[in-house]
Amino acid sequence: WRELLCPLGIYSLLIQAMRFQLKTEVQGSFKNVFNRFDRTLFEYLLPGNADVRLVEFGGSRTGDLVHLEFVSPLKATWISEIVEHGEDAERAWFVDVGTTLPFGLEHWRHRHIVERLDDSRSIIIDDIQYRFSNRFLDAVLLPAVYLAFFPRKRQYRKYFNT
C-alpha cells in the first residue's frame, strides 16, 4: 500500500507540474529489456478496462508514431511521436510526446527509461509529465492518471521475469 499511496502526495506533485515516476525492477540486462520494448509489449500494456485499438505502432526510435483509437469508455484519438531515443553504458531510453490528444489533455511527455542495476537486473522507469486544460483538472485527475499506469508494475514483472 505504501508503494501505491506515497506517490499520490498531491501537493508535492502539483509543485512538480503534474509529473510522476513509476519504477519497476525486472530480470534481464538493460539492453535485453530495452530491446523488448516492441509492438508485442505495447499491446500487452494496453489498458484492459478500455476498448482501444492500436492503429499504428512505428517503433521506439525518433520519428516513429504510435496511434491509438479509444472506443470506450470515451471515444478519443491519441497519437504520440517518438522525439528522442538513445543509449549509453548504463541506460537506454525513448521519449514519446502527444501530438494528437484526447479532449482536455493539452500536454503529454512520457520518458521510457531502462537502467542497469547489474548484469542480470534492470529498472524500468516510466517518467510521465502531463497537463490538462486547467490546473483543477490536473489535480482532480491525477489519481486516475497514476492508477491507469500503476498496473504496469505488475505487467512488467510478469512480462520480463518469465
Side-chain angles (χ1 to χ4, degrees):
W1 284 103
R2 184 177 64 102
E3 186 176 45
L4 175 63
L5 295 177
C6 286
L8 291 180
I10 290 178
Y11 297 114
S12 65
L13 284 170
L14 283 173
I15 292 168
Q16 296 178 25
M18 306 325 289
R19 182 176 186 177
F20 64 89
Q21 290 186 346
L22 285 175
K23 297 181 180 185
T24 309
E25 185 177 323
V26 296
Q27 297 298 313
S29 73
F30 83 91
K31 288 183 181 186
N32 287 340
V33 170
F34 187 75
N35 287 335
R36 292 179 66 192
F37 271 72
D38 56 14
R39 183 184 187 107
T40 302
L41 175 60
F42 190 85
E43 289 175 336
Y44 179 74
L45 295 173
L46 287 174
N49 59 347
D51 186 4
V52 61
R53 184 171 65 92
L54 179 58
V55 176
E56 178 183 357
F57 180 85
S60 302
R61 298 193 161 277
T62 304
D64 291 342
L65 296 177
V66 176
H67 179 176
L68 298 170
E69 292 290 335
F70 289 87
V71 179
S72 71
L74 300 171
K75 188 170 175 61
T77 298
W78 186 309
I79 301 174
S80 283
E81 179 180 356
I82 309 305
V83 296
E84 176 187 341
H85 76 279
E87 182 179 316
D88 62 29
E90 297 296 318
R91 70 192 53 79
W93 68 91
F94 68 94
V95 179
D96 72 83
V97 171
T99 58
T100 303
L101 297 168
F103 178 77
L105 187 56
E106 291 185 342
H107 171 77
W108 181 264
R109 183 177 183 88
H110 183 175
R111 293 176 60 220
H112 307 258
I113 306 161
V114 182
E115 290 186 349
R116 178 186 189 277
L117 290 176
D118 58 35
D119 289 344
S120 63
R121 294 178 308 130
S122 303
I123 188 159
I124 298 172
I125 303 168
D126 286 296
D127 182 354
I128 297 168
Q129 186 175 11
Y130 69 92
R131 183 177 60 252
F132 282 96
S133 55
N134 68 58
R135 297 296 276 167
F136 177 75
L137 282 177
D138 287 345
V140 169
L141 294 175
L142 170 63
V145 175
Y146 180 83
L147 289 172
F149 280 85
F150 191 77
R152 285 189 175 201
K153 293 178 73 60
R154 179 186 45 77
Q155 290 172 300
Y156 283 145
R157 286 185 194 114
K158 184 176 179 184
Y159 192 83
F160 290 106
N161 293 352
T162 56

